[in-house]
Amino acid sequence: MNTRPDTQEDLSNPSEAFLRSIDIRELLPQREPYLMVDTLTFHSGVQTTTETLIRTDNLFVKDDTLNASGLIENLAQTCAARIGYINKYVLQRDISIGVVASIKQLDIHALPHADSVITTSITIKHEMEGAMKATAHTTCQGRKLLTADITIAIK
């Protein structure tokens, strides 16, 4: 079990309560107003999940609706949150920067309204030094918003 000295938390499979206690800015290079993920809620060897409240002042909200670019940025930042969590808590090193290398099979099924919470999950298909490939889906109150395959190049 991989634990930090100041906690008994299994950092490879942490509790939701532990994840929710992390300030997401510790894991991401993005800052307001470009921060598009609020909370890390699940992390395992193959899956990471985040939640985000869509605020009315979000750069990607127009006419009370988050646009497709906002959904895609949220997806990319969910991947970044995974990379940041692994670097900081599991490997205990500095945060790495990731760049979207490709997005395939992107389907936008619906767009969420402001003041709603979206949940984005990625499932790792392949991960190696320098790259991560994942399938992703975003939902809002059980309604499918986005599905995609994403590849992130990690610097």
Side-chain angles (χ1 to χ4, degrees):
M1 179 172 16
N2 179 11
T3 62
R4 273 195 346 206
D6 60 335
T7 180
Q8 293 298 87
E9 193 71 39
D10 177 357
L11 299 176
S12 297
N13 292 292
S15 67
E16 182 176 346
F18 175 74
L19 292 172
R20 285 183 179 279
S21 74
I22 298 171
D23 181 346
I24 198 72
R25 293 171 293 190
E26 293 179 20
L27 308 180
L28 298 173
Q30 293 86 355
R31 293 293 176 260
E32 290 82 2
Y34 300 103
L35 193 59
M36 293 294 298
V37 171
D38 290 336
T39 308
L40 187 61
T41 61
F42 182 81
H43 172 79
S44 71
V46 296
Q47 189 174 9
T48 299
T49 303
T50 62
E51 286 181 351
T52 307
L53 171 64
I54 306 304
R55 294 170 181 79
T56 56
D57 64 349
N58 184 298
L59 294 173
F60 297 103
V61 169
K62 184 175 181 179
D63 299 328
D64 204 39
T65 302
L66 183 71
N67 66 26
S69 296
L71 280 177
I72 294 167
E73 183 61 26
N74 170 264
L75 165 58
Q77 288 188 29
T78 296
C79 293
R82 176 185 176 77
I83 295 164
Y85 178 83
I86 290 170
N87 280 327
K88 180 172 179 136
Y89 289 96
V90 178
L91 301 175
Q92 298 180 351
R93 64 182 189 195
D94 291 337
I95 303 301
S96 298
I97 302 296
V99 176
V100 176
S102 71
I103 297 178
K104 297 179 180 178
Q105 306 300 317
L106 173 67
D107 287 314
I108 306 291
H109 303 277
L111 298 173
H113 294 288
D115 296 322
S116 59
V117 175
I118 62 173
T119 301
T120 300
S121 293
I122 59 168
T123 302
I124 303 304
K125 291 167 58 175
H126 184 70
E127 200 167 26
M128 59 186 251
E129 189 70 32
M132 175 179 77
K133 291 185 178 193
T135 59
H137 65 276
T138 301
T139 61
C140 181
Q141 298 176 342
R143 184 177 61 153
K144 188 186 319 183
L145 302 178
L146 172 147
T147 55
D149 291 332
I150 187 167
T151 302
I152 303 289
I154 305 166
K155 294 182 179 184

